[in-house]
Amino acid sequence: MGLRRRPGVWRFGRTAAILSMQHYSERLDTRNVILPPYTLLHLSGTHRMNDRVELLARLENLTNTEYEEINGFGSPGFAVFSVSTSCGFGR
């Protein structure tokens, strides 16, 4: 069973940061293997450069927690999943 914590959002002028947490309790996998509980922390943010350009970034598993969603298959540790820009044209 998973629990998602409502994200905390902080705004600083044109910059915004979002911290979120996911907790998974122990659960039964195939062949009656009990997978241990784990908690993940994620951070994402945006920075509006001007009216048309916004920078975005997302960091996952900030604490580099080792965990398995499926028995025998490890999951990635700390990761930067996206660093991108968003551009708008016209109004």
Side-chain angles (χ1 to χ4, degrees):
M1 177 175 203
L3 171 68
R4 288 182 182 256
R5 167 73 171 93
R6 185 173 217 153
V9 178
W10 294 272
R11 297 191 186 280
F12 312 96
R14 296 182 297 174
T15 302
I18 300 170
L19 181 65
S20 62
M21 178 188 80
Q22 292 175 293
H23 177 77
Y24 296 89
S25 58
E26 68 179 27
R27 60 223 178 276
L28 188 62
D29 196 30
T30 58
R31 299 184 188 192
N32 291 327
V33 173
I34 296 176
L35 297 174
Y38 62 93
T39 302
L40 302 174
L41 292 174
H42 309 298
L43 179 66
S44 62
T46 62
H47 179 74
R48 183 160 296 282
M49 301 295 290
N50 57 43
D51 289 344
R52 297 184 182 197
V53 178
E54 184 175 45
L55 302 175
L56 306 112
R58 189 175 91 204
L59 311 173
E60 295 202 352
N61 195 1
L62 291 174
T63 57
N64 200 26
T65 300
E66 293 183 19
Y67 64 97
E68 293 181 339
E69 293 178 348
I70 300 170
N71 185 38
F73 293 90
S75 296
F78 171 76
V80 177
F81 274 101
S82 64
V83 175
S84 60
T85 60
S86 173
C87 300
F89 300 98
R91 291 194 172 201

